[in-house]
Every structure is written in C-alpha cells, then in structure tokens.
C-alpha cells in the first residue's frame, strides 16, 4: 500500500498498518534498559528516569535488574579494562533484539582517560553500539535524544529481506568474544568484526 | 437443547474465553518467533547470571552445622506459636487440666531455649 | 593539626629508642615545611612500632602510603680542570680547561608514610623509605604489622610501582588483575599500542 492512500484512508477514519509497522511500534515503545551504571554518567541516567525528565514517557520505565529481561544496555560511564569483560559478558547474556547506547565521552572513546593504562578506548571495540552520545557527562536531554534516535532506528528496521537487522539473521552472531586479561592489557585490544573506526569517521 | 439450557454454560464459555485470552498472544508470539527470529543460544547467554562475572564453584555447598541449630530453634518456636493461638482463643473455656498440659508444653520449650542459650547458640559469630 | 614535635626531636628520640637505627632528615623548603624522615630498612619496623607506642608521640594512625618513582638521573656539570696542554709552539703549558662531567645517579623507588596521632592530635609526621634500585632489588619492609591501615595502600604501591613489601600479610595486586606484568605508575611505563581510530584512519 502506498503512503498517499494510507494517509487518505486515515483522513476518513480508516487506520491501516502492516505487520512490520505494528511489530516495530510495539518494540520501540517498550525498550527496557538494563539496570547498570559505570560512573558519573550513571547519575545523569538516573536523573533521566526520574520525575523531572521521565524517560517512562517513551516506554523505558522499567529498568530490569537482569540482562535476561533487558533490551537496551546504556553503557553510562568509564569502562575500565578490568570492567570490560564483564560488560561484554552482560551484553552477551541479553536476549535478542538488543541495543546499546554508549553514553558519555568515556564510553565512546575513553574520554579524558584515553591515554591512561586502565581505561578502555571505547566500548565499541567489543560490542556493536547503536547510538553514541558525546558529553562529559551528557545532560538528560542528550540521553533522551539518543533514546528517541534509537526508537527511530528500531522503527526503520525491516522484518524481511537482506536489509533486516542482525537479530533476524540466523547466521549473524548474538554473542561477541569476551576479552581476556593479558600481560599488558586486554587481549585482543579490539574485535575487528565489530570495531569499524572508519565507519565512525564517515569514510 | 439440554446443553444450551444448562445454567453453567455461561461459566464454561467464559472459562474458554479466558483461557484463549491468555494463551492466544503467547501462541502468536511463539509462531512469530518461529517465523522471523532465529534462536541464538550460546555459552555466554546460557551461563549463570552473576552480574557479568563468571560463576565460580558450585552453589551446592555445605553450610556449617550451627545453622541447623538456628533453623531448629526457629522451627520449635514457630510451632509453639501455632499451638499457643488456639489455646489463647479458647482460654476461658478450658479446664484446669488443659491449662496445666499447656503449661508443661511451654515449660519444655522454655527449657530448650535455656539449654540453647547456655550452649551459646544464640550469640552470633 | 600542628606539628607539636619537630623532626629533629623525633629523630633523636628514635635513635635513642632503637639502637643502631639510621635516620636522615629530608628538608622540605616549601612554605609547608613538612620535613620528612628517611629511615633504614633493618630497623624500620622497630622504628614504626616506637613511633606508634611512644607516649609522647602516639602516632596511631597511618593516613596515607604513597609510592614515588625516582628514575635514573644523569647530571651534567661543567668543571674547570687544570691540564697541561701542548701549545702549537711546542711548549708544555698549564691551562684552565672546561670539562663536562656526567654523573649517573641511580634511580630508586620510595614509599612515603603520613602519620598522625589521633590521641595527641598532632601530625603529620612523614616517614620515607627508599629501595636500593628500581630493578630486582625494589624491596622494602612492610609497616602493615604496625599500622593495619597501610595494608591496602602498600598493596597499591606494589601494584602500581612494583615495590615489594616484605612482611606484608597479603601482597597481591589490588587494582590491576593478576597476571598483569607492568607497573603503570613508573615514569618509564609506556601503555600498550592499541590500534587507535586515528592510527587506523591514517
């Protein structure tokens, strides 16, 4: 059905939809994040869920305390090298479809600790990140913007065809290798299947 | 018809309606997942959730024997309360013999408590 | 907090109480004037126990243990030396010649303890200990048996500087993981080259 006919019908009080739209509409309005904060950004995330900013308006009111019930991982804060395997393992334990928001300068790149010995240079080295938010820390509005961006992304996902998202493809992985503690740092330093810095740079 | 005239018929129909209301979305979701989303189990996803850490050892570990004393002392006084309640409710109607029997029962338990107290079971650590 | 007792007095009391102990006063010329006492390894635990138990001092609280890395230093100085030089005319002549001398000062690791007395309300008294070198002999006696609060901080100094505290009850890495080989707070530590976005983009 083409879009014009649909709009025309809705003017006459007839609502039409597709399975795909209905499916995505249901998913995007009930994204449940994982209860999980790493550093100062977590405070902003908590503020976002509280009454003043009220993330519940967008269907994310239930922060699940178990990855088994969560859809969204908000990596809010500095991921130290000692914490990185745990974060990746938590991501692996979440059921599909799952999404990741990397919140704050540290989570997207290491931030001010980038040149240190103990901080991971961005969580996108090990797990696929859907939305990056810069800021130190980002304000709650920025997190809500990221959340709405994620909702738009979910809304655009196709149910069938080659362009369908990872969780609908049988041969695409749902788990990513957990880095090991090495003698000088994490091994491997990044997962080349996931880490595409050139794509981030837009090249 | 005999079946339709049965006064319980409405309830039976409502019962089936309620069952369908509960199971139909589940069945639809199951069919949907069969059709569209492939199952992706894995060693990490199926592992025990320990806040992201790998679980160490077995959950079936031995507890110290003194914990069983706590459990037994708790159980005894729990049961005591169960017996005391009907005793208290019908207290005014009981004979002297029944009261004495109850007092003996309480005395035995108090003796047990004193024993446990003296053994030092009730002090932590 | 006031420093009721001067470092000189403490040093004298220490040397009187612990025979054979060698202490050295390191002056801090900044306005804070927190002079510190450098003590030797053999008598360190006895000295620490004396500082804690002495009725006049009662330094019952070790608030802070820090590690300091002093890398090998090379000092270049110009010295005027008298030398016999043969002039072009063929005469031997004594002349003042400038010569550059390079002296290597070997590096060491240092542990700094800040001590306070809660009972007497004075402090801090700063204790220092230095290792022989930065390599295999980076050992110091542990003061955890004297001040319990030093335990985790000595572990941290061990973890990040590689100072081995002998006599420590539980000397393991505390911030980095077991199996980590480097000491990241040392001045010569270089973090591992991880492929950066910039490096990949080049």
């Amino acid at each position: 059905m083409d879009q014009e006919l649909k709009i025309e019908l809705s003017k006459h009080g007839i609502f039409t939809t597709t399975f795909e739209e209905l499916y995505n509409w249901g998913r995007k309005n009930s994204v449940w994040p994982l209860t999980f904060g790493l550093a100062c950004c977590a405070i902003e995330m908590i503020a976002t869920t509280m009454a003043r900013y009220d993330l519940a308006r967008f269907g994310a009111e239930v922060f699940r305390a178990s990855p088994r019930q969560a859809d969204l991982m908000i990596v809010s804060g500095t991921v130290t090298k000692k914490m990185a395997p745990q974060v990746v393992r938590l991501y692996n334990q979440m059921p599909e479809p799952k999404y990741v928001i990397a919140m704050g300068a540290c989570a997207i790149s290491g931030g001010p600790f980038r040149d240190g010995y103990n901080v991971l240079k961005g969580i996108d080295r090990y797990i696929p990140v859907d939305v990056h938010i810069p800021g130190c820390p980002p304000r709650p509005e920025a997190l809500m913007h990221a959340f709405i961006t994620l909702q738009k992304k979910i809304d655009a996902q196709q149910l069938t065809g080659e362009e369908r998202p990872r969780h609908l493809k049988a041969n695409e992985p749902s788990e990513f290798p957990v880095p090991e503690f090495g003698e000088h740092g994490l091994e491997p330093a990044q997962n080349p299947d996931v880490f595409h810095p050139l794509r981030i740079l837009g090249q | 018809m005999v079946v339709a005239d049965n006064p319980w018929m409405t309830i039976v129909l409502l019962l089936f309606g309620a069952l369908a209301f509960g199971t139909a979305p589940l069945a639809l979701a199951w069919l949907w997942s069969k059709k569209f989303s492939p199952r992706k189990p894995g060693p990490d996803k199926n592992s025990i959730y320990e806040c992201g850490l790998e679980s160490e050892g077995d959950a079936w570990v031995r507890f110290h024997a003194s914990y069983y004393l706590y459990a037994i002392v708790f159980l005894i006084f729990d049961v005591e309360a169960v017996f005391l309640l009907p005793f208290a409710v019908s207290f005014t109607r009981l004979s002297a013999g029944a009261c004495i029997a109850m007092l003996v029962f309480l005395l035995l338990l108090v003796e047990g408590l004193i024993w446990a107290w003296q053994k030092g079971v009730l002090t932590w650590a | 907090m006031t420093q009721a007792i001067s470092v000189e007095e403490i040093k004298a009391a220490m040397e009187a109480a612990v025979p054979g102990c060698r202490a050295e006063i390191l002056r801090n010329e900044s306005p804070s004037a927190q002079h510190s006492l450098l003590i030797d390894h053999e008598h360190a635990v006895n000295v620490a126990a004396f500082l804690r138990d002495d009725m006049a001092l009662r330094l019952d609280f070790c608030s802070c243990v820090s590690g300091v890395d002093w890398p090998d230093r090379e000092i270049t100085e110009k010295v005027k030396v008298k030398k016999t030089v043969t002039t072009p005319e063929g005469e031997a002549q004594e002349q003042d010649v400038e010569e550059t001398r390079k002296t290597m000062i070997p590096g060491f690791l240092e542990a700094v303890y800040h001590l306070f007395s809660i009972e007497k309300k004075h402090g801090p008294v700063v204790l220092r200990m230095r290792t022989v070198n930065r390599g295999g002999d980076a050992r110091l006696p542990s003061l955890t048996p004297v001040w319990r609060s030093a335990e985790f901080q000595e572990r941290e100094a061990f973890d990040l500087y590689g100072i081995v505290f002998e006599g420590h009850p539980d000397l393991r890495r505390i911030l980095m993981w077991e199996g980590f080989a480097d000491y990241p707070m040392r001045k010569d530590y270089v973090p591992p080259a991880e492929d950066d976005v910039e490096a990949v983009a080049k």
Side-chain angles (χ1 to χ4, degrees):
Chain A
M1 188 189 294
D2 68 326
Q3 212 61 27
E4 278 177 33
L5 178 61
K6 199 175 154 183
I7 293 165
E8 194 56 38
L9 278 172
S10 73
K11 278 179 188 163
H12 294 90
I14 300 166
F15 175 68
T16 55
T17 186
T18 58
F19 269 126
E20 188 180 286
E21 276 174 14
L22 204 61
Y23 174 61
N24 285 340
W25 171 78
R27 278 184 332 124
K28 79 170 187 190
N29 289 306
S30 64
V31 178
W32 289 358
L34 181 64
T35 315
F36 152 78
L38 290 173
C40 20
C41 283
I43 304 299
E44 300 293 315
M45 180 187 73
I46 294 161
T48 315
T49 62
M50 289 293 116
R52 189 177 180 90
Y53 296 100
D54 197 17
L55 197 65
R57 289 177 289 162
F58 308 102
E61 64 270 37
V62 211
F63 271 65
R64 302 310 299 188
S66 165
R68 318 281 191 208
Q69 301 159 352
D71 308 299
L72 169 66
M73 178 183 239
I74 302 175
V75 184
S76 50
T78 318
V79 188
T80 58
K81 283 181 183 168
K82 216 175 172 183
M83 198 62 189
Q86 276 74 265
V87 174
V88 178
R89 203 173 283 116
L90 279 179
Y91 178 78
N92 286 347
Q93 288 182 339
M94 282 163 62
E96 292 278 14
K98 50 191 171 186
Y99 301 94
V100 178
I101 291 178
M103 181 184 182
C106 299
I108 63 176
S109 70
F113 314 110
R114 188 178 173 83
D115 293 329
Y117 58 93
N118 56 342
V119 171
L120 185 69
K121 295 177 175 64
I123 191 62
D124 51 0
R125 282 168 184 257
Y126 296 115
I127 55 178
V129 174
D130 295 279
V131 186
H132 295 77
I133 325 172
C136 187
R139 285 191 54 87
E141 291 92 331
L143 180 58
M144 288 198 296
H145 180 242
F147 192 80
I148 293 165
T149 310
L150 180 70
Q151 283 187 324
K152 282 181 185 155
K153 184 174 178 172
I154 295 174
D155 205 27
Q157 283 182 336
Q158 294 177 7
L159 197 54
T160 49
E162 264 317 293
E163 293 290 298
R164 66 192 195 277
R166 192 190 74 236
H167 72 273
L168 296 178
K169 291 179 181 167
N171 52 353
E172 295 256 345
S174 154
E175 287 185 18
F176 294 92
V178 179
E180 304 264 336
F181 292 132
E183 276 195 3
H184 304 288
L186 290 174
E187 284 169 7
Q190 68 269 323
N191 182 356
D193 299 335
V194 174
F195 187 49
H196 302 295
L198 292 179
R199 212 175 286 168
I200 298 169
L201 291 174
Q203 287 172 21
Chain B
M1 263 171 73
V2 186
V3 180
D5 290 344
N6 195 317
W8 295 97
M9 196 56 206
T10 347
I11 297 209
V12 170
L13 277 177
L14 278 174
L15 179 72
F16 279 112
L19 278 176
F21 190 77
T23 50
L26 288 176
L28 277 175
W30 182 77
L31 281 173
W32 183 277
S33 74
K34 280 273 154 200
K35 172 88 177 69
F36 290 109
S37 59
R39 284 173 58 81
K40 289 178 185 175
D44 260 0
K45 198 181 274 181
N46 294 344
S47 64
I48 297 163
Y49 169 56
E50 296 248 26
C51 300
L53 295 164
E54 277 178 295
S55 57
E56 273 180 34
D58 202 352
W60 291 89
V61 289
R62 285 189 184 181
F63 288 94
H64 199 271
S66 56
Y67 289 111
Y68 291 101
L69 273 177
Y70 284 115
I72 288 166
V73 170
F74 167 74
L75 192 74
I76 287 170
F77 289 101
D78 208 35
V79 171
E80 179 192 3
V82 171
F83 280 106
L84 274 179
L85 186 71
F87 170 69
V89 166
S90 55
F91 182 71
T92 46
R93 278 166 285 154
L94 285 180
S95 63
C99 279
I100 288 166
M102 203 60 208
L103 279 176
V104 170
F105 170 67
L106 281 180
L107 212 66
L108 283 172
L109 287 176
V110 167
E111 191 198 341
L113 177 65
I114 290 166
W115 173 82
W117 207 317
Q118 279 184 339
K119 284 280 271 187
V121 179
L122 299 184
T123 43
W124 288 100
Chain C
M1 290 261 187
T2 47
Q3 194 153 0
I5 307 164
S6 70
V7 269
E8 288 81 8
E9 288 171 279
I10 296 173
K11 180 175 184 271
M14 236 156 64
E15 282 166 346
V18 184
C21 98
R22 298 181 303 280
E24 191 188 320
I25 294 170
L26 300 178
R27 300 234 151 243
N28 180 352
E29 301 302 342
S30 74
S32 74
Q34 284 190 352
H35 311 303
S36 50
L37 284 159
L38 180 69
I39 57 172
D40 64 320
H41 294 189
E42 300 91 77
H43 302 90
V45 179
N46 289 342
V47 164
F50 161 74
L51 293 178
R52 185 192 60 187
D53 298 332
D54 182 63
M55 287 323 283
L57 289 166
R58 291 295 288 149
L59 295 162
D60 47 13
F61 177 50
C62 171
S63 83
C64 176
V65 181
S66 326
V68 186
D69 181 19
W70 297 95
D72 299 335
R73 275 187 303 161
E74 203 178 55
I75 290 184
T76 326
E77 45 187 353
K78 285 194 175 159
V79 195
K80 285 203 171 163
V81 194
K82 283 204 194 293
K83 256 191 181 174
T84 325
V85 183
T86 323
T87 51
E89 290 87 49
E91 278 175 61
Q93 202 181 343
E94 207 165 72
Q95 244 180 351
D96 280 348
V97 179
E98 261 198 3
E99 211 173 65
T100 8
R101 273 193 202 162
K102 285 182 177 176
T103 355
M104 273 292 272
I105 298 177
F108 50 86
L109 297 163
E110 189 177 62
V112 186
Y113 293 75
H114 282 74
L115 311 173
F116 289 87
S117 174
I118 289 174
E119 198 182 299
K120 300 270 177 192
K121 294 193 176 18
H122 65 83
V125 172
V126 187
L127 275 193
R128 288 172 190 253
M129 288 193 288
R130 286 175 179 174
T131 63
V132 179
N133 57 37
R134 298 171 75 249
D137 212 11
R139 278 193 285 273
L140 287 179
S142 167
L143 298 187
T144 306
V146 182
W147 292 288
R148 201 46 222 285
S149 56
E151 181 180 345
F152 275 20
Q153 303 195 48
E154 283 185 351
R155 272 179 70 183
E156 192 180 334
F158 163 70
D159 189 356
L160 302 180
Y161 289 92
I163 306 171
V164 178
F165 287 94
E166 284 169 331
H168 191 283
D170 182 27
L171 197 66
R172 287 178 291 134
R173 283 190 176 266
I174 188 169
L175 295 174
M176 304 309 284
W177 50 86
E178 290 296 318
F180 189 73
D182 305 330
Y183 300 112
M185 290 295 272
R186 287 199 187 184
K187 305 264 185 218
D188 51 4
Y189 171 76
V190 181
E194 287 156 355
D195 287 346
D196 272 341
V197 178
E198 295 88 358
V200 176
K202 267 171 198 165

